[in-house]
Amino acid sequence: MAVEDTVFLIHVKICINGEAKEVADGLSIVRLLEELRIRPARVVIELNRDIVSREAQGSTVLKEGDALEIVQFVGGG
Amino acid sequence: MEDLLKLGERSYRSRLIVGTGKYKDFAETQKAIELSGAEIVTVAVRRVNITDPNKENLLDYLDPKKYTILPNTAGCYNAEDAVRTCRLARAAGIGNMVKLEVIGDDQTLFPDMPATLEAAKILVQEGFVVLPYIADDPITAKKLQDIGCAAVMPLAAPIGSGLGIRNPYNIRIIMEQARVPVIVDAGVGTASDAAIAMEMGCDGVLMNTAIAGARDPILMAEAMRQAVEAGRKAYLAGRIPKKLYATASSPLDGMLA
C-alpha cells in the first residue's frame, strides 16, 4: 500500500530526511519502510535525534511533528 | 612472523585501505576493491532518497563478512555532527571502527583539529575504535594517540589533490613519536606516492580518488596494491644509505692486465 493510497485515514505530519510528509496515524517505522520499499537491514533510523534499533522499529509509532532520518552507507573515501 | 597491521582488536594483512566513492558503478567499485587487496573499505553515511530509494545498496556489493566496513564522517564540520554520524554508522551493525574526519574548510578540506580532538574524546569514551584523519601536525597526532585513538591518519596532501606527500618531515616526526599505527590518508596521486609513504615506514595508506579517478581504476587498484606491498618490503628490508660518490658493484681484484 503506497502512502498516497491512505488518504481516507487520519494523517500526521512528520519530517523524513528533511522533507515534510504526511503518513497514516498509527504507522510504525517498519510499516513506513515497507511503504517506501526500503529494506530495513540496509538502513539506520534516527527518530528525533535518537537511534531506533531494528528490534524497536516495529513497535515505534510515528507521531505528529516527528523528525525521522533514514540513512544508509554510500560510496565515500 | 606474519607482518600485520593492527587496528584496535583486529589485524590485517593488507596495508592499503581504500575508499568506495567516485566509481562509475557498484560493479566497478567491487572489482577495483578486489584487485586492491584491501581488507578495509571506507564508506560514507547519507540520507536515503525516499522518493526514489535505490534498490541496490553498496553493501550488496561489499560483503561486510569479507571486508571491514569503515564508515567516515566526511562532510561533517563540527564535532557534534561527526559523533552523530558515527553513532548512526555503528547502529548499522557492522562494527565500531570509524574514520573520524571533521572538516575545517571546504576548499582545502583540511581537518579542524580542535573539533577532531573533541569528537575523538567522546567517541573513544563510547567504545569506538577511532581512526582520525589529521593534518600533518605532530602535536595533535600525539594528543589523539594519548586519548586512545587506535591510529593517526595524517594527510599527505589535500583530499583528492594527487599531490603526494608534501611534508615527509612532519610525517616522520609523527611516526617517531607514535605508539599507534600511522596511516597516510589523502593526497596520494599514483603508485610511487604510496610506495614512498610505505618506504618511509608508514603503517598503511588510505586512498580513494587516486584509484577511482584513474583512467582505468581497476588497473590502478592493482598498481596500488603492488606499490604498498613493495614499499613495505623495502622498508622492512632496509634501504642502502644515499652517498654522493660511486661504489663499484663488481670486484676490483682480478682485472685483466
Side-chain angles (χ1 to χ4, degrees), chain B residues 21-41:
Chain B
K22 298 186 181 177
Y23 286 98
K24 183 178 71 189
D25 51 37
F26 286 147
E28 188 183 67
T29 312
Q30 187 182 49
K31 188 73 183 163
I33 286 167
E34 191 187 323
L35 285 178
S36 77
E39 296 167 287
I40 306 171
V41 298

Side-chain angles (χ1 to χ4, degrees), chain A residues 16-19 21 36-39 42-46 49 51 54 69-77, chain B residues 19-21 42-48 50 53 55 57-60 72 84 87-88 92 94 99 208:
Chain A
I16 307 177
N17 287 357
E19 285 180 46
K21 292 277 171 196
L36 294 172
R37 295 185 172 80
I38 292 170
R39 283 178 291 166
R42 286 286 186 251
V43 297
V44 175
I45 304 290
E46 190 194 69
R49 291 272 177 156
I51 290 166
R54 292 214 176 100
E69 295 286 350
I70 307 173
V71 302
Q72 64 181 351
F73 290 134
V74 301
Chain B
T20 54
T42 65
V43 298
V45 177
R46 290 294 179 270
R47 284 172 164 169
V48 173
I50 55 163
K55 299 294 177 291
N57 182 286
L58 180 62
L59 294 191
D60 297 334
N72 69 28
R84 183 186 181 194
R87 288 173 181 154
L88 284 167
I94 44 75
K99 175 185 164 182
N208 189 155

Side-chain angles (χ1 to χ4, degrees), chain B residues 5 14-17 152-154 175 181-185 194 197-198 201-207 228 232:
Chain B
L5 170 63
S14 170
R15 292 175 178 271
L16 174 58
I17 302 174
V152 289
M153 305 204 294
M175 285 191 300
V182 177
I183 297 168
V184 161
D185 176 9
M198 297 309 296
C202 291
D203 297 279
V205 180
L206 192 162
M207 65 179 76
V228 168
R232 178 65 182 177

